[in-house]
Amino acid sequence: MLINTTTAIPSSEITPQEKFLSRRGFLAGAAAVAGAGVIAPQGLWGATKLQTTPGKFSLSETPTPLKKAISYNNFYEYGVDKGDPAANAHRLKPRPWTVQVEGQIQKPLTFDIDTIMNYRPLEDRVYRFRCVEAWSMVIPWVGYSFSEFVKACNPLPSARYIQFISLADRKQMDLPDSAGISWPYSEGLRMDEAMHPLTLLTFGSYGQTLENQQGAPIRIIIPWKYGFKSAKSIVKIRFLDKQPHTSWNDLAPTEYGFYANVNPQHNHPRWSQANERKIDASLFPRTVPTLPFNGYGNEVAGLYSGMDLHKNY
């Protein structure tokens, strides 16, 4: 159930960190990595606690334990196996960091990460996160609506799409050829999708700065879409008048559509999307039915009124 609340429990209080292993022990046993930090006293794994306020939108679901959320990741810049990002992303240097903004705007802009992070109050938002591979988590993210940042960029009326470009630096990343991706990683949204209040410019999770393997120090989260749409470690944002090229859509257009809305009635060519493996506190993932738009249909279905969601998958 999606709730609009001002009394939600801050994400930093959802998963008591003392229950988890030390950073050194966890690295040895499950391959985790330190994140970035600039705001408050440093927590476990090198992440830094953030000053947050209860978000406008949150789920009334129990989040996935932090330990699982930061050890089972897709971040192909650091390898194609689920444990590779946690094992290898320690090379990422999330400070200093800048984001360039260009394209259909009044003038090109460059922001440092702390300016972007402090532009609006940071909110705790507990969202469902559904991977196209048919597994899911519930994550308490930290950020603010991307639409707020868009307004600061002064886009022109001709801007109809937004493209996100991720870091591609072989000094900090593996960028494996086996991923099949033409680096840098690219993703994109239609402007009305980007401006929806659920679209989150994200700087943290579980009340802390993002771990490196989660896409530190800045990523986008679109909770009604498959996770590959949520670009990580963003270094460039482009406002465009035409639909941009995106990495997975370019690589395998019959499998990964530009829209990538969670749709249990539209199967991936190699597996069903009707159900998902929910990663939670249970020893093994539970199989549960997948919800249209990942459960956010009441909020976002109107964006696609009149569209054939099998053709626009």
Side-chain angles (χ1 to χ4, degrees):
M1 176 182 179
L2 185 67
I3 57 175
N4 190 336
T5 179
T6 58
T7 59
I9 299 173
S11 60
S12 58
E13 299 178 13
I14 290 172
T15 307
Q17 294 176 354
E18 61 270 17
K19 292 185 178 180
F20 297 117
L21 303 174
S22 69
R23 180 174 184 269
R24 184 182 299 273
F26 187 66
L27 276 168
V33 175
V38 293
I39 303 298
Q42 196 165 7
L44 300 181
W45 300 288
T48 299
K49 293 181 180 179
L50 295 169
Q51 296 178 358
T52 65
T53 60
K56 298 177 181 178
F57 301 101
S58 279
L59 296 174
S60 58
E61 295 186 21
T62 301
T64 299
L66 171 61
K67 185 172 67 174
K68 292 185 178 182
I70 65 172
S71 61
Y72 191 85
N73 308 102
N74 282 327
F75 196 177
Y76 278 19
E77 284 86 339
Y78 290 102
V80 299
D81 293 330
K82 294 294 183 292
D84 287 345
N88 301 326
H90 59 278
R91 295 160 53 198
L92 179 66
K93 298 177 181 179
R95 292 294 190 287
W97 193 278
T98 58
V99 177
Q100 296 179 336
V101 184
E102 62 185 32
Q104 302 294 307
I105 57 175
Q106 291 185 5
K107 63 178 181 179
L109 302 165
T110 299
F111 297 93
D112 70 83
I113 183 61
D114 297 310
T115 298
I116 302 174
M117 183 182 290
N118 293 311
Y119 180 65
R120 287 289 184 267
L122 299 179
E123 300 179 5
D124 294 304
R125 296 195 188 180
V126 183
Y127 282 172
R128 294 186 186 93
F129 184 85
R130 172 61 153 81
C131 182
V132 72
E133 298 167 339
W135 57 265
S136 66
M137 297 184 182
V138 175
I139 305 291
W141 301 108
V142 176
Y144 57 80
S145 292
F146 180 64
S147 59
E148 297 294 324
F149 180 72
V150 170
K151 295 172 187 175
C153 297
N154 296 311
L156 300 174
S158 55
R160 299 177 56 232
Y161 293 88
I162 292 181
Q163 184 182 32
F164 303 98
I165 304 296
S166 297
L167 179 71
D169 181 358
R170 293 194 180 275
K171 294 180 180 179
Q172 302 183 59
M173 296 172 157
D174 299 320
L175 305 180
D177 293 337
S178 59
I181 293 173
S182 179
W183 309 107
Y185 191 88
S186 166
E187 260 306 334
L189 297 171
R190 217 169 54 189
M191 183 63 76
D192 58 345
E193 297 175 316
M195 295 300 288
H196 194 281
L198 285 175
T199 301
L200 191 69
L201 192 59
T202 306
F203 309 96
S205 68
Y206 298 85
Q208 302 182 141
T209 50
L210 290 165
E211 297 285 344
N212 284 4
Q213 62 266 35
Q214 293 179 298
I218 179 172
R219 66 176 297 172
I220 198 80
I221 292 292
I222 313 103
W224 68 94
K225 293 180 178 288
Y226 293 120
F228 71 85
K229 294 295 292 184
S230 298
K232 304 177 180 74
S233 299
I234 297 168
V235 293
K236 187 174 292 185
I237 298 174
R238 293 172 173 162
F239 290 82
L240 304 172
D241 57 357
K242 296 180 176 62
Q243 181 175 307
H245 287 277
T246 58
S247 291
W248 282 105
N249 187 229
D250 284 352
L251 179 62
T254 62
E255 298 189 8
Y256 306 102
F258 174 80
Y259 286 95
N261 293 318
V262 176
N263 185 352
Q265 297 181 345
H266 184 87
N267 292 331
H268 187 280
R270 290 180 280 139
W271 56 79
S272 170
Q273 295 289 17
N275 297 289
E276 63 201 58
R277 303 180 305 282
K278 186 174 183 179
I279 299 172
D280 55 19
S282 304
L283 182 60
F284 299 105
R286 297 182 295 115
T287 299
V288 299
T290 291
L291 300 173
F293 296 106
N294 204 25
Y296 296 91
N298 289 341
E299 290 74 30
V300 303
L303 296 174
Y304 311 100
S305 178
M307 290 180 61
D308 185 334
L309 297 181
H310 288 288
K311 292 181 178 179
N312 298 285
Y313 57 90

